[in-house]
């Protein structure tokens, strides 16, 4: 069985789609595209499609990943084109490579997020970020499947910066009167999400944007020791080895 790793984007209104519905849409697209997906054994076989590091509902992403097993060898470029053509607008296939050694999930050590906030004073945002970064820990609470959990939102944050222009908007329309928070967050358990960081900013600095944030994941992958930013998790598959 050949394994292929896929990077895809979740854009526009599709960011409000649940992960379960996105997985169903992808499985339908695989069938529509005629991809020879492999199935598990047993009484109720399932297509061998696994997802790694899916973004929360309501969040756009330029770096979602899945791995698909196929029953016969497929050309990654052809599979990319066929799968992309079979998906609805807003679910866009960006890259497909043949899987080599190693686990894709293990390579996803951190994410780079972009949080767009309208109606916010840039100086106020910069002051709140400075207070947050200076804190040894920032305790926040979130309701999870196991009930209310308290955890440190500061420890997982590698970098947090304020951008006041339209640079780095992941190909979207230019932004006016907007503050952009750019953050790199390590993947931990429980996962620290951008809304947890915003909650932390409110708790330690009273920073409360007047409108809901627009959040986009720009990248996820192994954290580069020099830059502290996520590198391409599929690079090891392209060069034929593991990280």
């Amino acid at each position: 069985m050949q394994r292929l790793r896929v990077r895809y984007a979740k854009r526009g209104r599709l960011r409000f789609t649940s992960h379960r519905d996105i997985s169903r849409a992808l499985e339908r697209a695989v069938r529509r595209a005629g991809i020879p997906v492999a199935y598990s054994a047993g009484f109720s076989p399932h297509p061998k499609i696994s997802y790694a590091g899916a973004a929360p509902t309501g969040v756009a992403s330029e770096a979602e990943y899945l791995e698909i097993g196929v029953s016969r060898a497929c050309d990654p470029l052809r599979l990319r084109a066929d799968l992309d053509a079979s998906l609805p607008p807003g679910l866009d296939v960006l890259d497909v490579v043949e899987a080599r050694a190693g686990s894709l999930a293990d390579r996803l050590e951190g994410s780079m997020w972009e949080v767009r906030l309208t109606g916010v004073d840039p100086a106020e945002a910069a002051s709140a970020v400075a207070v947050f970064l200076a804190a040894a820990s920032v305790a926040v609470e979130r309701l999870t499947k196991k009930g209310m959990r308290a955890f440190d939102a500061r420890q997982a944050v590698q970098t947090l910066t304020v951008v006041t222009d339209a640079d780095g908007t992941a190909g979207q329309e230019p932004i006016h009167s907007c503050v952009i928070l750019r953050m790199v967050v390590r993947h931990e358990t429980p996962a620290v999400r951008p809304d947890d960081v915003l909650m932390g900013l409110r708790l330690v600095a009273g920073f409360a944007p007047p409108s809901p944030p627009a959040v986009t994941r720009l990248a996820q992958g192994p954290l580069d020791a020099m830059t502290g930013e996520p590198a391409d998790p599929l690079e090891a598959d392209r060069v034929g080895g593991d990280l």
Side-chain angles (χ1 to χ4, degrees):
M1 181 183 68
Q2 183 189 34
R3 293 181 299 128
L4 297 157
R5 289 169 176 168
V6 179
R7 177 189 174 196
Y8 66 97
K10 182 175 66 166
R11 297 167 171 159
R13 297 179 63 182
L14 268 295
R15 69 186 185 275
F16 298 112
T17 305
S18 70
H19 175 63
R20 177 175 294 182
D21 287 337
I22 285 178
S23 64
R24 288 172 177 168
L26 281 160
E27 288 178 13
R28 287 195 298 268
V30 164
R31 292 194 297 269
R32 191 178 300 119
I35 295 170
V37 61
Y39 282 81
S40 62
F43 181 76
S44 180
H46 298 281
K48 289 194 172 183
I49 303 175
S50 58
Y51 301 85
T57 303
V59 172
S61 179
E62 294 295 308
E64 299 296 283
Y65 292 93
L66 64 84
E67 186 171 287
I68 179 171
V70 291
S71 58
R72 65 173 185 271
C74 295
D75 175 49
L77 293 178
R78 177 64 182 272
L79 186 143
R80 173 187 173 182
D82 291 344
L83 183 58
D84 187 57
S86 300
L87 285 167
L91 283 180
D92 303 308
V93 180
L94 305 179
D95 198 4
V96 177
V97 300
E98 185 172 1
R100 307 291 180 180
S103 165
L104 175 60
D106 289 344
R107 298 178 191 171
L108 304 182
E109 298 175 345
S111 291
M112 176 182 286
W113 301 93
E114 183 177 87
V115 181
R116 298 156 49 193
L117 304 168
T118 57
V120 172
D121 178 15
E124 181 185 0
S127 176
V129 165
V131 173
F132 180 91
L133 293 176
S137 65
V138 179
V140 301
E141 291 185 334
R142 187 195 333 133
L143 184 63
T144 69
K145 294 179 181 179
K146 297 183 179 180
M148 191 66 71
R149 294 283 301 273
F151 53 93
D152 184 4
R154 173 65 186 90
Q155 181 180 359
V157 177
Q158 292 273 100
T159 61
L160 177 59
T161 57
V162 179
V163 182
T164 56
D165 59 20
D167 290 340
T169 57
Q172 301 180 24
E173 294 180 359
I175 303 168
H176 303 286
S177 302
C178 177
V179 165
I180 302 171
L181 301 182
R182 181 75 62 79
M183 64 185 77
V184 175
V185 182
R186 291 193 305 276
H187 294 172
E188 297 185 348
T189 303
V192 174
R193 306 185 310 203
D195 55 318
D196 299 319
V197 177
L198 291 176
M199 174 63 73
L201 289 169
R202 184 176 70 81
L203 292 175
V204 300
F207 180 69
S211 58
V215 182
T216 301
R217 173 151 55 193
L218 301 180
Q220 65 171 323
L223 293 174
D224 187 281
M226 297 294 294
T227 67
E229 297 183 353
D232 180 6
L234 302 183
E235 183 61 27
D237 297 303
R238 293 190 184 91
V239 300
D242 201 4
L243 291 175

